[in-house]
Structure formats: C-alpha cells, structure tokens
Amino acid sequence: MNRYRHLAWGAAMGAVIVLGACASDTIDGEKATNQSPSVWLAAAPPEGSIGTYTVQLFWGGWDPDGEIRKYEYLVTDNVTGVFNPADTVDVPWNPVVGNDSTFTFSADSLQDANPDPEDQTATFIRSHTFFIRAVDEQGLRSREPAYRSFTSRTISPEVRITTPRADLGITPADMPPISTISWTATDFVDDEFTRQDPESVQFALVSTENHGDYATTITYLREHPDAPEWMPWMWYRAPGDSGKSWTTPPLEFGDYVFAIRAKDEAGAVTPVLDEPVNVRRLKVQERSSGPTFVLTSSLMGSIIAASCDYPLTIADVPAGIDLSFNLSACADDYGGTVSGYRYGWDILDLNDPDQWEVDYTPFISAVATTPARSFNFGTHTFTAEVIDNSGFCSRIEVKVNIIRFTGERNLLIVDDYRADEVPGQSGWAATNGGAPNDAEHDNFWKDMVSNLEGFDELRDMIQTSQDRELPLTTIASYKNIVWSVFGDLDARAADALPLLHTFIQYRSKRPPGNAGGACSATGGVSGKVIPNYVGLAMQAGVHLIIAGNHPIQNVVPRLGTFAVRWPMIPLYELEPGSVQTGTGPEQEDIDDPPGNLAFAYREMCLEAIDYGIMTNQRVRAGGTGANRRYCGVTPAWRRPDAAESRRTDGMRGGIPADLNFPAIALRPEAADPGRRFAVESQSIDVEVYNPEYFRQGLACNFVPPPRPCFEPIYLLDCIDTEERTYQQPVAFWTSTYADVVAEDIPNAVGARSAVFGFPPVYFNPGQVKPGIEYILFDEWQLPRKQQSASAAP
C-alpha cells in the first residue's frame, strides 16, 4: 500500500509542475531536431561470397528520439560483377515491415560464356548489392544504409521434348497438320540433386522455307535467342497442362523446326538447343497411318492397328457367348490427338453413319468398353475405328465365326502329354520307372474309360503333340473332355509347350504397354487367332478333367523375361509388367483386378497356386521377408538340400478330401525299391491349390479363403508330415459353370469339372479308376456299358 501512495504523490507533484509552467502566456525552450535512425545488417551472406539465389536476410535499426516506422531496401544487379553507383539508376527503394525477409535474387548470367553444346545444365550467376535503410515516424531515413555485396548462383533448367518421341534422333517426325507437342522440364536449384519445376518455358516453331533446310534453321535459332519467332514466356504450371504442351494451328505441308527452352525463378535460361533433346525436326505431310489403336479381349488378347487398312482378324467362338471389347488409342507418338472412336456390328457401308452402333465419341477415360453381344449362328464382323484431330484414322475388324456346340459325342481324350519321346529311351522299363511312353500313357486312359458306352479310341482320342491343332469345331462335338498334359514350363522350350498352354495362357484384358497404355503398345495378335477354346467350351456347358505335370501352370505367359513367384496369386500376378513392390496391389488393381476374367481365377476358381517340391526358384510362404510381388515371403527349407526336398516334400499318394474318391499311391512300376520314385529316391512334384498357409491372416492378406466354387478332391500325402504342403489340395472340383446346361443337346447336364495337379498315370490304376469313373458316371452322368449276361455272376 505504501508503494501506491508514493506513486500517487509523484503524479500529483508532476501535475503541479506542469500547471505551473503553463501559467505564463508562452513556453520557453528550443525545438529539438529530429535525429535520423541508424540501421545494420544482422545476418547476410559474407561480403563477396557466392551462394544460393534464395537468401533470408536479417536487419535491425534504432531511432534515438522515436520509433522506426518501416524499412526500405534496394537491390542492384551489378552488371560488371562489382557494385557501381550507376547500377542504382532507376532502381526503386521498396518498403518492408519487420526485421527479416527471404529474397529471390536473380542469377541470369552464364558463368562460362561457352557452355557444353550437349548439356542443358550450366551455372548462372549474378552479382548483387543489397541496401537496407530505416525510416522513422517522421519519415526521416537513415543517413547511411547498411549494405552487402554477394553473388547468387543457380543451375539452368533442362527441358526435354516428349512428343514427338526422341528415339527418332535427327530423323524428322512425321506430324499431321494439327499436332500437339509435349515436353517435361526440370529446374536444378543448387545442384543436380535438388529439383523443382521451372518458372516458365518459351518455344518457337520455324519453317525451314526461309532458311534453306533443317540445319540452317536450327543454327538460326541458336544464334538468335531474341528472334521474333520465339513465343512469349509461358508459366510452366499453367492450368490444364498448357505450360507442358502446345497444339499447333493448322500448318501447311512442309518442314519445320521446333525448339523450346525453360527459365527458372532466378532468370537462368536453358543455354543450349540440343538436338533432339529440346530441338526437333518436324515434317508435316499427308499421313498413311493413324493413331495406335488397341482392341483387347480376355478371350483372344490384343489386336494393335495403326491405319484404316489393317488386315481382318478372324476368330471362332461358341454360340451364345458374350463378346465385349476394350478400346484404347494413342496419337501422342506423332503429336496427334485422338478425337474419338466408333464401333458397330455387321456394317455394310462404313461411310453411312447410321450403320454404326455408336458414332464418333470422345474417350471419357483411357479405355472404352463395348456392350456385350452374343450370336447363335452365322458369321459376324465387329468394326471399330478411331480418328485423330487431323482426320487420320485406324480401324480394326474382327470376323467372328459362330460355332454351335452339338455334343453328339460323349467324351474326348486329348493326349497333350509328351511331344519329345525318344524311341527306345522312354517307357517304365527303359527309364527305370521315370516316365511312361506314349503307348503306356494311352493304355492307362483307355483303361480309365473302358466301361464308357460308345467310346471309340480311333475317333475320340486325339494326340495333339503330332498335329498341334484342335479346332473348335472338334471340341464342339463333345459334351466332356479329358485333357492329359505334360505342362512343366520350367523344363520345356517355348516351341515344345503343350497345346493346352496355347488355349489357357493368360490374356490381359488391358491394353499392352504397361503404364503407357496404347501409347506404348507392342505385339498383339493378327490374322486367324486362337481364343481360349477350353474356357469357351466350359462356358458353353462342356465339362473337363485336366490332369498332368503342372497342368494349371500353363496359364503363365511366356513373354520375354516375365516370371512369376511362387506361391502365385492368379488374380494379380499374371499381368506382365505388374509391379513387384511386396506391399500389395495398387488401388487400380483392387478396383478392377487384372486377372478376374482369366482362366486360372474365373474358370478354375483359384486364389493361389504353389508347388509341392521347392527348389531355388520356388519359395514357400514364411512370414515377412524378401519382396515377392504382393506378399513378402521367405524360403522355408525344412531339408538341407534340394535333393532331400524332392524326396520328402513331393507326392507319394493322395488323401481323399471327397470321400467318393479312394486313397491313391504311386504305382509299382514307378515306386518299387530301386525305381526312380522309390521312397529312398524322390517323389512326384505336384501343384498345390489354394493352400491354407498362404492366405489372409497367415502369410498373405491379399489371398482370401477359397470361394464356394472350389472343392478339394485329394490332399497331398508326402513323407514330411511337418511340411506346410502336407494335406493341402492337389486335386479339386471347380463348379464355376456347373449350372450351365448346353441348350438343344440331348442328355446334356450341368456338372462340375475336375483338375488333378499331378499325372494320374504315375499312380496305381486300380486306385485311380474308381475316382475317374465317379466323375464320368455319377457327376457327368455318362452311359456305362451294360454288363453282358454271360459275364454276370
């Protein structure tokens, strides 16, 4: 309280003094002179240093008789490299509030007057002097500003023309009259590792007509950086990618040179015109080709055309099968723009727009899908066209022969087992139980169907290894098919693959070319194409037994270095070019899985496929580890070497999962002591289907539990009962088309198909036959031979 009394007494006395002073008519004293504020730089680049063009500066100031209201700064571009008072002429002072700011200083002068003509990146510098002064509340400025001289530095930006493509080199790009030229640019900030977008780009399109030829026109542009043909600078990040591409007005036919350069925020400009990186020769003329046009179908693969004169494609398909096509196109490679597509069935006059089911329509997305159509008879032609913005077109025509399935015969056996038999060096005896010869293989299957009424081995047994052909018209004559195949893709040359591979191999429903889509499409089919007759037959109501060495592995495409990892996920991992991230499918694949229409996933109802015997090329799910496409797995070796694994992990027998099938074991010719597959030697390799150890909650969260259409028939019986594949499915029912009953076919039934992931011929025929007959007579309801009266007991 005493403190407040003292303050009050002081205030009262002050008031008395002031009032006393004001008692006279005038105030005596001298008016004080306003003193100028002082200023200093608190943090700035060292005097005369060279550094980055973006600098944060700090300063301070003091006004001895008042307050500082603001600061003002001035920046000079020192033309001679050092400060000259003349550099301040016409350079304004700029107000700034606060005691720091980040400045972008220009660096627009080449450090080396002769840059590398083949390197767009060069060092640019500019000397600057930064001045700062303080301003007090009366507007009085510092008598002497603070200042610092330094040099800013940057690396020039790089720009690359992407359309037309650079692989043409100095060969003129064939362009339509209206072309879109695209580019990408990169700004290197302080070094080639720190990158960002440039500030702007500038381009020129110059006809060679006034300069003689391409070379002299390029020289003109190099020697005249301010030539009138250079367009105004354009912001690189302009809306709609207008800073990254340019569509020409309609051009006269002739030769042109297109050049482009970029500028960064410090003013450094691409110093060289390097052909063909940022300079391109163009030839505008009448084209003989149009956009790259891709028609894709999961039945027949992709057809790729680049003109309206592409040859007709022909395919046989069953009656009643839905036909739909994916269409995509790209004209970027020559600078065109795809304007639209159109399609229709059985068009007689291509010039009559009324005959097209859909007239020219712009692509809303990268791929357009046509509605499904089906036909019951006859021959029909699907026609699709695309056109670019200059009127050049590409056309694909697919002639479809409709094959009616008659099913007048009960069973076809397709012998697709071996095409490499050597006389005298094959057979149980010659190979010590290693492999049957063709006659032994055929006799096995003849025995399996010996009780089938009406089976004629001369008519109903076809060996595809000899003629390598199986027309759809032949398949259409049968209600049921047994397909015995030798399908070990790891051990066979591409030209010796079984015919089954030709049919069931993975056909992408997406345009080829990976991320580039139609722009990078290559390959494709043409002429008479062979769709997946096996899948089509199943859709038409035909039932199958597929059996043999690694039969379903035949879905793996044989494309260059493409390889799958095991266990394999058919829904995702058969797509060539799929990314092996080990982290799972991308969102695009989750929304529209690439393999959902493919044979292994749709017809076979498989979520995963593995092997019984591991080698250095095959790994088994074992938790996290090395990236193996969508799931991290590590080898799970339980045995010291591969030879021991072949003995303990392979198939010795089949444990029934469906009790309509008896247990089976290897036949004596193959497995007796001393034979190739004796218990002390090795076991049969086998495919493992939808293994429990490789699914959600265990090793791979992208593999769901089996769908209801998958039902195990046999489980793996092996020596090592602790092996993960023990008692996992090696044969199964697929009921994907079990409800399909072929129309207009007498005695047709809806039934399941069966797959044996091992060659039944290696197993005891007396044990195998009851299961095969259960399929033939109970599931497929085929007629059994009537036992003769004399044979009756």
Side-chain angles (χ1 to χ4, degrees), residues 613 645-655 663-668 670-673 675-686 715-720 726 730 758 762-764 767:
I613 296 176
S645 178
R646 284 194 294 270
R647 185 183 76 85
T648 61
D649 299 348
M651 185 175 181
R652 305 298 307 176
I655 303 171
I664 59 175
L666 290 172
R667 64 191 300 160
D672 273 355
R675 293 284 182 168
R676 175 76 64 83
F677 294 99
V679 68
E680 70 274 7
S681 298
Q682 67 182 72
S683 301
I684 296 290
D685 200 3
V686 60
L715 308 179
L716 176 64
D717 188 10
C718 59
I719 294 174
D720 185 358
Y726 178 65
V730 294
F758 54 89
Y762 279 80
F763 291 81
N764 190 313
Q767 297 170 345

Side-chain angles (χ1 to χ4, degrees), residues 220-235:
Y220 165 76
L221 286 170
R222 286 171 174 165
E223 295 178 351
H224 297 82
D226 298 320
E229 289 88 350
W230 288 100
M231 304 287 283
W233 287 97
M234 178 185 299
W235 187 37

